[in-house]
Amino acid sequence: MHSARWGKSRDLHGKQVAVIGNGETAVQIIPELAKIGKSVVVFQRLPNWIIPRDDSSIPIWRQTIYLYLPYVRHQYRASLMDTGSEVYKGVKKPTTEMLNKQLPGDARAELRKRLTPNYPPGCKSIFISADCYPALGRPNVTLETGEIVDVTPKAFAATQFLAPMDIKVIGQEPLSRSWAEGASAYKGMTVPGIPNVAIIPTWATTPSFS
């Protein structure tokens, strides 16, 4: 089932659970599933940069500046989106420190390695979580980084980008076949050779496209 359909009628207590993907939603639900599932297998494509949850109140003086000097607020917001800013350059240290602290010891060295991204911060979404790493270290949770071939009995084609959609193109092969080895879109939006197919990107996904 899709995580959006996980309601009160879906009782997963004591069940064997598999989570396909480790994006924003997964980071939030994995800790909860780890508490109630008999076993949880997390299928990870790429590890994420995860920073500590450092919640704090915004002081009155800062709120006043943002209210009367909107340019300052806009610049601060822009700095959070700038992958070349000091904000992004400072992500590696807190992520590594939290990972080592929450999953310590030689026995978890391989797990820490598989959870450490090999790409710069900003190429994908940066997540905020204080309990995802501890959940992945629980004895009933397994991190799987191998390729998913299919899922039976419904045979969900996890490696096909558009499945189950079948987008046909006049005079060309279907888009699913063109993208069989991976999706590609200019600036993450327009598909070469198919001008009437457009993708709505987000700030997090656009840098990931070629």
Side-chain angles (χ1 to χ4, degrees):
M1 67 177 175
H2 193 282
S3 57
R5 294 186 172 91
W6 181 21
K8 292 182 178 180
S9 62
R10 303 273 188 167
D11 185 7
L12 299 180
H13 283 80
K15 300 292 181 63
Q16 294 177 314
V17 182
V19 180
I20 300 178
N22 60 318
E24 290 97 332
T25 301
V27 168
Q28 298 176 65
I29 67 174
I30 288 171
E32 301 306 315
L33 290 171
K35 297 175 185 176
I36 64 175
K38 178 181 179 181
S39 65
V40 178
V41 180
V42 179
F43 291 89
Q44 171 183 280
R45 183 170 65 90
L46 288 173
N48 301 303
W49 289 105
I50 301 178
I51 57 177
R53 181 175 296 282
D54 188 20
D55 292 337
S56 61
S57 60
I58 300 177
I60 296 299
W61 64 267
R62 194 169 181 179
Q63 294 182 40
T64 304
I65 291 176
Y66 287 164
L67 178 63
Y68 293 102
L69 298 174
Y71 174 76
V72 176
R73 186 178 74 250
H74 296 160
Q75 284 297 104
Y76 172 69
R77 174 64 180 175
S79 71
L80 297 178
M81 302 296 105
D82 182 6
T83 57
S85 70
E86 294 300 320
V87 174
Y88 281 83
K89 293 178 182 178
V91 165
K92 289 186 177 181
K93 183 178 179 181
T95 295
T96 304
E97 289 179 348
M98 181 171 67
L99 181 58
N100 291 333
K101 181 179 180 180
Q102 294 184 342
L103 295 174
D106 294 338
R108 290 173 170 173
E110 178 60 28
L111 178 58
R112 291 195 302 271
K113 181 179 179 180
R114 288 191 290 159
L115 290 171
T116 301
N118 61 356
Y119 56 86
C123 292
K124 292 182 61 185
S125 298
I126 296 175
F127 302 143
I128 302 174
S129 176
D131 53 3
C132 185
Y133 286 151
L136 291 169
R138 292 174 64 116
N140 65 322
V141 178
T142 302
L143 180 66
E144 177 58 60
T145 56
E147 180 179 331
I148 301 174
V149 178
D150 58 31
V151 177
T152 56
K154 295 184 178 180
F156 173 70
T159 59
Q160 296 181 20
F161 188 81
L162 292 172
M165 293 187 296
D166 185 19
I167 299 178
K168 293 181 171 60
V169 184
I170 298 176
Q172 300 183 42
E173 60 183 7
L175 191 56
S176 58
R177 190 176 302 169
S178 300
W179 281 2
E181 300 300 323
S184 177
Y186 178 69
K187 299 294 185 181
M189 293 189 66
T190 57
V191 180
I194 314 176
N196 62 339
V197 171
I199 300 171
I200 301 176
T202 67
W203 73 271
T205 59
T206 303
S208 302
F209 281 87
S210 59

